[in-house]
Amino acid sequence: MHVRPFLSALSLLPALTVGLGACGGKEEAGMPPLTPEPGDSRLADMTAPAKDSLPARLVLYRYLRGVAAGNVKACGLLAPDYDRTAFGRAGGCRAGGLAAARAKLRPADLAALRGVTVPTCDDGPGDGEYTVAFGDLKWKGDPARPGGVLAANFTLRKTGARWLIAG
């Protein structure tokens, strides 16, 4: 008579072990981590509110990666004043300036730009603008050398609904 409750409890054991395995014991291959990876600093922002600066920092990230890839679409991320400063005239980036600037970069600089991240920025110089110092960029390996299109400081300004790199 006491065997029957034991058998019914024993029959629940497979259901419990499946439930426990799904809750914690085993990690499924397709599950993303619930927290950011410890070494992933692409989106960490120490000085400006992350919510406010993320779109601006993302523009600089895309520009630097675009320079590395030789992608002329990166020129669309530049304000006319930065385009004039870095490429000699407004529209100079698209009109062969990007290719000429890439030709001046060492292969090691181009390789470094493929792994660059923009983890932080500072407020200013103007109201609603952000500045990213070249030294604040993070690199997977050795950093690129500053100079030319790799400015000492990048100013990010919101123009209408878009963030642009300003000069």
Side-chain angles (χ1 to χ4, degrees), residues 29-44:
M31 291 292 292
L34 297 176
T35 59
E37 293 294 321
D40 189 3
S41 62
R42 284 182 291 189
L43 304 179

Side-chain angles (χ1 to χ4, degrees), residues 22-77:
C23 289
K26 295 180 182 177
E27 185 178 320
E28 294 183 27
M31 291 292 292
L34 297 176
T35 59
E37 293 294 321
D40 189 3
S41 62
R42 284 182 291 189
L43 304 179
D45 189 6
M46 302 304 181
T47 56
K51 182 180 177 185
D52 295 338
S53 70
L54 178 61
R57 290 182 292 125
L58 199 52
V59 165
L60 181 56
Y61 170 83
R62 288 179 179 150
Y63 170 71
L64 295 172
R65 294 285 180 110
V67 169
N71 188 346
V72 168
K73 289 182 181 180
C75 298
L77 302 171

Side-chain angles (χ1 to χ4, degrees), residues 16-167:
L16 286 173
T17 59
V18 168
L20 289 175
C23 289
K26 295 180 182 177
E27 185 178 320
E28 294 183 27
M31 291 292 292
L34 297 176
T35 59
E37 293 294 321
D40 189 3
S41 62
R42 284 182 291 189
L43 304 179
D45 189 6
M46 302 304 181
T47 56
K51 182 180 177 185
D52 295 338
S53 70
L54 178 61
R57 290 182 292 125
L58 199 52
V59 165
L60 181 56
Y61 170 83
R62 288 179 179 150
Y63 170 71
L64 295 172
R65 294 285 180 110
V67 169
N71 188 346
V72 168
K73 289 182 181 180
C75 298
L77 302 171
L78 306 178
D81 55 344
Y82 184 82
D83 203 359
R84 274 190 295 277
T85 301
F87 298 99
R89 61 184 172 97
C93 179
R94 288 190 188 276
L98 181 62
R102 285 186 82 245
K104 293 178 184 175
L105 295 172
R106 302 174 305 155
D109 294 336
L110 294 172
L113 286 170
R114 289 183 190 102
V116 70
T117 59
V118 186
T120 187
C121 65
D122 293 317
D123 287 330
D127 193 35
E129 294 180 338
Y130 296 110
T131 299
V132 177
F134 187 84
D136 290 338
L137 298 172
K138 298 296 178 212
W139 310 90
K140 280 190 176 179
D142 291 333
R145 291 185 309 189
V149 294
L150 305 179
N153 291 299
F154 294 94
T155 301
L156 304 161
R157 178 185 312 136
K158 193 165 189 177
T159 304
R162 297 181 50 202
W163 283 94
L164 298 173
I165 300 169

